[in-house]
Structure formats: C-alpha cells, structure tokens
Amino acid sequence: MTAYFIQAFIYLLAAVIAVPLAKRFGLGSVLGYLIAGVVIGPVMGLVGQETSTIQHFAEFGVVMMLFLIGMEIDPKALWAMRVRLLGLGGLQVTLTAAAGMAGAWWLGLQWQTALAVGLIFALSSTAIVLQTLDEKGLSKTEGGRNTFSVLLFQDIAVIPMLALIPLLALPGLKGNPTSRSSQDAGLSLVAGLPGWAHALVVVGAVAAVIVGGYYLSRPLFRYVVKSGLREVFTATALMLVIGIAALMSVVNLSPALGAFLAGVVLANSEFRHELEANIEPFKGLLLGLFFITVGAGINFEVLLAEWGAIVSLGAAVIVVKALILFALAKMFGIHSSNGWLFTLGLAQAGEFGFVLLTYSVQNDVIPLEISQILSLVVALSMFLTPLLFIVYDRIVLPRYRRSQNDDRDADTIDEQAPVIVAGVGRFGQIVCRLLRANSVPIVVLDHEIEQIENVRRINIRSFFGDASRPDLLEKAGIEQARLLIVAIDDRDRAVAMVTHVKKFFPGVWVLARAFDRGHGYQLLEAGADDVMSETYHSALELGGYALTAMGVHPMRAKQMTWAFVENERAHDAELFEAWKEIEEGINFSPRYGELFMKLEESLSTSMQRDWEAPKPEDVPVWTPPGKD
C-alpha cells in the first residue's frame, strides 16, 4: 500500500509543478503533463513499468472527454456551421489522412498500418489550440472560428476512427503483450456469435444507450436530486459514464462511442450543467494522468537512436499539414492574417493522436516499435506549437496590420467640428452616440479600419487615420475645436497626444479616458483637463446594486455611493503627489499604502455612522432595477 501512495504522490507532484510552469511560459497544460512524465520517467527514473497499467486506467479520461463533447453539441448550432464543419473540417481530415497514409505506405508500411498513421496525424491539438486562442483573444476572429470548426469536426471524427481501427488488425501482430485481444479475452457478449446475431447485439446496445439516456436518465437524476446529497449525484454521473463504457466494451465497440452518444442524448437535459460540473474534474485529472504516462513512456533510447528520423518526420507532418490547411484557407476564402492563424494553429498533431496510437497498438494495427517513434513525432509537433503561434504573433500579424492600417493612406478629412473624438472602440462609441443624440457636431478619428466601419454602420461620420498625428488633428480642426475627447486604446499614444495638444493648442479642453489610476495621473500630468477611468462609474453602479441587495434602501445606497466618490476626491491630491514620488523612485510604497489606509478608514467612518449591516434573515429579496 505504501508503494501505491508514493507513486500517486510522485505523479501528482510532477503535475502540480510542471503544468503551472508550462502554462506560465505559454506551452499549455498538455505539454506540461508530457514534460512532467518525461521528467519523472526517462530523466529521473522515479516511475517505471506501472505506467502502462496506469495508462489503461487513465484512458477513461478520453471517454469522459467525448461524453462532455457530446453534451456541448447543439444540433441547431451544428446546422448553422455545417459548411465549415463538414466542408472545411471534412476536407482537412480526409486530405491530411490521405497524405499521411501515402507517406507511410511509401515508407514501406502495410496499408492498414499506413491508414492508421494517416488518421493519427490528421488530428490537431484541441487542448493546446483552443486554450491559446482564448488566451490571445483570437477565438472570435474569422481564423479562430474556422479553427474551432475544424477542431470540433476532428473531435467528432475520433468516434468513427476508434470504431474503424479494430477492423484494421494485422494477424501477424496478434498475441503481443499489449494486444487488447489478449487482455480482454472472455469479456465479450458477441464472441462466437454468427454475423447476424453480432449485428443485432451491437444495434441493441447502441439503441439501449440512446433510448435509456433519453427516457430513463431524467427520472433517475430526479430521484437522486431529491436526496439532497451532492456526492450521490456525482456517483450517479460516474456510474452512467462507466456503465455505458462497459456496455460498449462487451459488444466490442469503442467505449468512447457510447459515451459520445450518451452526451448528445443528454445535451438538452435540465441536468446537463450539473453533469458537466461533476464529470469535468475527473476528466481533467484522468486526461492529465494519461498524458503523464505518455511522457513517462517515451523511450529515450529510441529518441537517441532515431533522432534524425523523428525530427524529419515531425517537420514533415507540420509542413504537409500546413500546406493542406493553407490551400483550404484559400479555397474557403479565409484571407490575410486569419488564413495564417488557421494554417499555423492546426499544423501540429494532437493529444488524440496518442489515444489512437495506443488504441492501434492494443488492437494489433501498429507494431510497438513503430508506435514508439510515432509517439515521439506527435510529441515533437505539439512541443513546436507555441513556436508556431510566436511566428504568427511576431511575424505574420504585424505584417498584415501594417498592410491594413499603417500602409493605408489616411482618409481625406473634409469636415470640421467643435468636438473631436479620438478612438471609437467600446468606450468612444458610447460617447459619440450620446453626443450625436443631442445634436452635437463631432469629427471621429481612429486608426483601426474595423472600428471605423462599425461606427459608419450607425451613421456616425468618421475618418480613418492615426488621431495622434498632428497633421490629421489640424485637418480635423483642432485649432478651432472647443473639446478633444481622447479614447484611444494605447496608453503611451494617449499621453503623447494630450501633451502635444495642450502644448500647441492650450485653449482646447481635453477629456481623456484612463485605463487605471496610474494612467489617469499620467494624463493629468500631460495636461488633460478631465480624466475618467473607464471602469470607475460602472463599478460604483454595481456596488450600489450590491448594497441594495443587502437591504440598504436605494436612496441610501445612492448617498453612500456619492459619499465614496466625495471621499476619494478629498484625498485625490495627496494620492497624486504620492504617485509622483513613486514614479520618481522616492519612498516607493509606504506612503501610498498609508494614504489608501487613511482613505479607507475615513470612508468607513463616514458610511457606518448611521447604518448597521442587516442580519441575513432580514435581507429582502432583491428585484433588479426596472423590474417590478
């Protein structure tokens, strides 16, 4: 028992250390798990032969992942994205699998093995790519949406791939220690049955999953929910997924197939979100454990002996996939930087490649020695994924931004107005709409063509150009203007713009948007007449709603909100001076912190003078403003 505890501690410690570090360096959690496995396995030798046994257990994380993927599938959303999903995703998987199969067959592998290799390299890393897109804010771009469509199709395509692989078994590989046939002997309901009976049992099992999931799961979960015990609901969710996986296994189908079907059936269940919340932690841990065992199972002897072939194959996989993806991007009209994001984002192999590789070895499709080389190729392509995104960020994106913005001539400004608005993003647009609603003439400038086009759609006259350029400001009439509103999304340019205008056109009143308190002080030093933090008043409004929800009368909540504002204004000059000292390197933090403590004490004293926090049972049910 002690040995098991020590082994479990080693695996968990490796994950706790490696995964946060990998995410901090932009490598993603999957690569973190792989690195952890490499360190505790081949490098330090802390784990050994038990990794293959653990891997069989950890593969259940894949079953849970496909169950959750099935629950995320909305038939209406799928139909709306059918062209990208089936056309773009289907062509990518088909063409890449065909190219991989042709390459493997050319290298001398049998066609069954070559086909499995092609399927493995047709998949990309859902975990790494989606996480990176979210972190970089690229999910909503055209390239990000098309990338998601292909990844979704790949995840769904794993199901038929897992069903196909056992049909590709090579008789010459049967009987090896990793063969599933040797491990699962006697655990089948269809062994020895004639073909028609085998087919009936399989159809019956699939029908049981679909019908049972639709008609029986809801009464079961309602019964469990009445107990009021969360752990029983968790046990029920696990029982459901494990039972379906076991049923699929005993009829010689992929457990992942059954889990996926059950997830689709339960996608519209009222218990969907609770199921996801209960299954997600187990899925994440088991998948992480699976990837650790993959890393721990990497054979460094094979790596050192075949490093030339592994590096060459890894480069070939990325280049061939990139060429196919680039051609598809052109075919489906994914242009400019979005096309490169689509191409570079999907050019690697993925985590499901390890799953298919392990499954292929177990089902006598790929020899063990070849699988060791292919596993290293998949891992290498995944390790290179952050580098591909760096290429996109530092080479591709700046080039297209220059071509779209900097290289484009500024619009001819043929209007002047007493109010000039610099920047029409999410902040500046609201200002413009308010001014236009009150018939205030404005001239709008922005150097992002997308923002200009958005504002023009709501009939606000605007011009493309960098508002911080003195010549454009003069053409817009800064010399005669009464007011300049600075709302551009660049801290340094905003400060430089205010400095220039107040130096050469001191009569213009300057209102500036600040990102935070420190930026606001920089703008004030530059000469801005009024500065407003972009989140200050919305946070005050929400704070007022919070007080109302806690039983404070709405009028009293409003008074307390304004007391907060007045209290901050009373100490603003002191805070400004303290900030300037910090900027000059004097008395780095104590005074600033002390002033904030003084401010909080003053605020607390003034607000608590005639108000006491209500008891929880006395707090009324809060009705949102405007809803009676």
Side-chain angles (χ1 to χ4, degrees), residues 220-438:
L220 172 63
F221 284 120
R222 291 193 186 105
Y223 166 75
V224 171
V225 166
K226 289 180 181 178
S227 71
L229 298 174
R230 184 180 179 85
E231 63 272 20
V232 178
F233 191 95
T234 302
T236 307
L238 291 173
M239 178 195 72
L240 178 68
V241 180
I242 293 172
I244 291 169
L247 176 62
M248 293 293 103
S249 296
V250 296
V251 297
N252 288 0
L253 286 180
S254 164
L257 172 63
F260 178 79
L261 291 175
V264 173
V265 171
L266 293 171
N268 294 318
S269 168
E270 63 267 34
F271 302 104
R272 168 189 164 186
H273 297 295
E274 188 69 17
L275 280 169
E276 289 177 338
N278 282 274
I279 295 294
E280 183 69 34
F282 294 98
K283 183 266 294 182
L285 281 174
L286 289 174
L287 271 182
L289 183 60
F290 175 77
F291 294 129
I292 290 178
T293 60
V294 169
I298 289 178
N299 191 327
F300 267 55
E301 293 181 1
V302 175
L303 177 61
L304 294 174
E306 304 288 345
W307 69 269
I310 291 168
V311 172
S312 300
L313 288 173
V317 167
I318 291 176
V319 170
V320 171
K321 289 190 75 170
L323 290 173
I324 293 172
L325 289 163
F326 189 76
L328 290 175
K330 294 295 185 183
M331 185 185 305
F332 282 81
I334 310 172
H335 300 301
S336 66
S337 61
N338 288 304
W340 282 104
L341 175 62
F342 175 77
T343 299
L344 296 174
L346 295 171
Q348 77 293 121
E351 56 272 6
F352 273 123
F354 294 121
V355 177
L356 293 182
L357 194 54
T358 304
Y359 198 64
S360 297
V361 174
Q362 292 172 348
N363 286 276
D364 313 312
V365 180
I366 297 179
L368 180 60
E369 58 275 11
I370 294 178
S371 74
Q372 292 176 337
I373 295 176
L374 295 178
S375 177
L376 291 168
V377 172
V378 172
L380 175 63
S381 70
M382 292 175 67
F383 275 110
L384 292 176
T385 300
L387 179 61
L388 297 178
F389 276 102
I390 290 173
V391 170
Y392 173 78
D393 285 336
R394 299 187 181 179
I395 298 176
V396 174
L397 200 56
R399 173 190 163 198
Y400 279 95
R401 279 179 175 167
R402 284 195 301 267
S403 63
Q404 291 174 0
N405 294 333
D406 296 342
D407 292 344
R408 169 179 168 151
D409 292 334
D411 291 341
T412 301
I413 302 176
D414 54 7
E415 286 191 15
Q416 294 185 351
V419 179
I420 299 174
V421 179
V424 281
R426 54 187 172 83
F427 189 92
Q429 283 186 27
I430 296 174
V431 177
C432 290
R433 290 170 59 194
L434 179 63
L435 293 173
R436 188 190 63 172
N438 288 276

